[in-house]
Amino acid sequence: MHGIGGNASSCGPLAAMLSAQGYRTLCWDAPGYGASADPAGKMDHSGVVLDVLAWLGIGPVHLIGTSWGGVIATRVAAQAPEAVRSIVLADSTRGSATTKEGAERMLARVPELAAAGPHALAARRAPNLVSQSAPPSIAEAVRAGMAAVRLPGYSAAATMMAESDTSALLPHLQVPALVLVGEDDVVTGVTESRILAQNIPGAAFEIIPGAGHAAIQEKPAEMSAAILAFWKRLK
């Protein structure tokens, strides 16, 4: 599950590597992103995930969420642990409501997008999502993903993040968890990922060298190796 500035293609290279090892992988466009219809009214993103899994008739599943997608994964695991085999939280967070200022900054992104448009938003924000060592092609893919966001989907995502603080959920999660973070992540950061790992019972934690917030795109091979090793330990 992609971040607030991404879409299904953001997860494509990692998904391909996991598929090559025999796993069936599904990358979603969240409501209002990519090929998915725009949401009408307030969204329950975790509920939509569970509806999709029920419609597909699959589960329990391994959920991988990067940034905002990790917040969704956390909520799904808390709401319906029977549907989840494990969660991977990549460069994720407890949500923006851990502080009043964080929630306000998240909500401020919506009028910024409405006024400036997605290409200007991407030009401002995308460079911070990758490490300074990221190849230009990866930096461009991250920018292009953000430039493709639409106001209804982004607004719903920002509203969810501004209302989210999963701190109280973490100690009660009943599914295995792996927390991954790029060492150069300046958006959510290593410290926030450590908090996630320290508060989820039995969670594994790993730092991905040379990666920024978009580690899932910058270092898919390293991410895949960490995830596959984690899944192997679960067998």
Side-chain angles (χ1 to χ4, degrees), residues 135-159:
S137 60
I138 299 299
E140 171 55 23
V142 171
R143 187 209 64 78
M146 182 169 283
V149 299
R150 303 195 303 274
L151 186 59
Y154 194 89
S155 177
T159 299

Side-chain angles (χ1 to χ4, degrees), residues 132-220:
Q132 292 185 351
S133 60
S137 60
I138 299 299
E140 171 55 23
V142 171
R143 187 209 64 78
M146 182 169 283
V149 299
R150 303 195 303 274
L151 186 59
Y154 194 89
S155 177
T159 299
M160 178 198 156
M161 284 291 284
E163 295 175 351
S164 290
D165 177 1
T166 62
S167 298
L169 300 179
L170 301 179
H172 302 288
L173 291 181
Q174 302 172 34
V175 303
L178 169 64
V179 178
L180 298 173
V181 62
E183 69 172 341
D184 300 325
D185 185 341
V186 296
V187 178
T188 53
V190 173
T191 297
E192 178 68 10
S193 285
R194 286 192 190 277
I195 291 173
L196 293 175
Q198 289 167 355
N199 283 277
I200 299 173
F205 176 71
E206 188 169 335
I207 296 174
I208 305 299
H213 184 67
I216 197 169
Q217 291 172 265
E218 280 192 77
K219 300 288 184 177

